[in-house]
Amino acid sequence: MLLESDMRFVIALILLVLTGCDKETPAEGQAQPASAENSAAAGKADIILESAHGARATLSYKFAGQKAPTAPFADANGQDVTLADFEGKPLLLNIWATWCAPCKAEMPTLDALAKLEKDRMAVIAVSQDLEGRAPVLAFFKETKVKNLVPYTDADNAILTAFNNAIALPTTILYDSAGKEVWRIAGGVEWDDAEMAKLLRAAD
């Protein structure tokens, strides 16, 4: 017979499995609450987005004004970089993995967006594959992704830098000062006209 404490553990484990492709343990003290200047945006209710193909995602302003984490990840040459290296213009950060079906489904349109927006904003996809670059390079070759750099985070440092659990894929828009504008949990079609309007919120 399971003890009450064991039952609570089992229930918590089931909930984690059901809520997304991946959930991570919250990190200690990295994320900051939304700033007062963005309190209006942070108070907006979450919005459900649905693509023409039936994919659903959630747009949230809950963390608007929060500074981007400083966790390091690797560039295409294996050198450490951080999100601060992209400050100076808007940044769209996509957190994904090759084993996550919704992540892979949105990658071609994210790649097209990276080409379209290259002069106005940075569009980066940081893989959480524990095997590093090998599966990412194979996937990019298979799907003809040419505009995204194969950034990798084999230690899952970015996920654990947030104080909340993040499901894959999650995409976060930062303004030129490195402050969050909004985030989307779930896969979307990045070449959609409505997405183009949302991206202008970082201007």
Side-chain angles (χ1 to χ4, degrees), residues 19 22 28 94 101 119 135:
T19 51
D22 180 55
E28 296 180 4
N94 179 265
D119 296 326

Side-chain angles (χ1 to χ4, degrees), residues 34-67:
S35 64
E37 67 192 53
N38 289 290
S39 59
K44 291 182 181 178
D46 289 352
I47 300 168
I48 301 300
L49 306 174
E50 188 165 355
S51 73
H53 296 97
R56 291 170 65 87
T58 303
L59 169 67
S60 176
Y61 293 90
K62 181 179 180 181
F63 303 99
Q66 181 172 294
K67 189 72 175 172

Side-chain angles (χ1 to χ4, degrees), residues 17 46 76 80 97 107:
V17 171
D46 289 352
D80 279 356
M107 201 55 60

Side-chain angles (χ1 to χ4, degrees), residues 73 82 84 107 128 132:
F73 53 96
T82 70
M107 201 55 60
Q128 301 299 299

Side-chain angles (χ1 to χ4, degrees), residues 105-190:
E106 72 174 348
M107 201 55 60
T109 59
L110 189 69
D111 185 54
L113 181 70
K115 180 178 181 180
L116 181 67
E117 298 284 357
K118 64 180 180 180
D119 296 326
R120 193 186 70 83
M121 70 185 306
V123 177
I124 67 170
V126 182
S127 163
Q128 301 299 299
D129 287 86
L130 299 180
E131 297 85 0
R133 277 184 293 168
V136 176
L137 292 173
F139 176 74
F140 277 11
K141 182 178 180 180
E142 175 189 346
T143 55
K144 297 181 172 57
V145 169
K146 298 179 179 179
N147 303 293
L148 292 170
V149 173
Y151 290 107
T152 54
D153 179 19
D155 296 325
N156 294 162
I158 287 211
L159 287 180
T160 56
F162 290 96
N163 265 346
N164 62 298
I166 291 181
L168 301 185
T170 288
T171 306
I172 305 174
L173 179 66
Y174 291 102
D175 64 19
S176 58
K179 292 183 178 181
E180 181 169 334
V181 179
W182 49 248
R183 67 178 61 181
I184 293 175
V188 300
E189 294 175 7
W190 292 102

Side-chain angles (χ1 to χ4, degrees), residues 7-20:
M7 285 297 295
R8 285 198 299 267
F9 174 77
V10 170
I11 291 170
L13 185 60
I14 291 171
L15 288 174
L16 283 175
V17 171
L18 292 176
T19 51

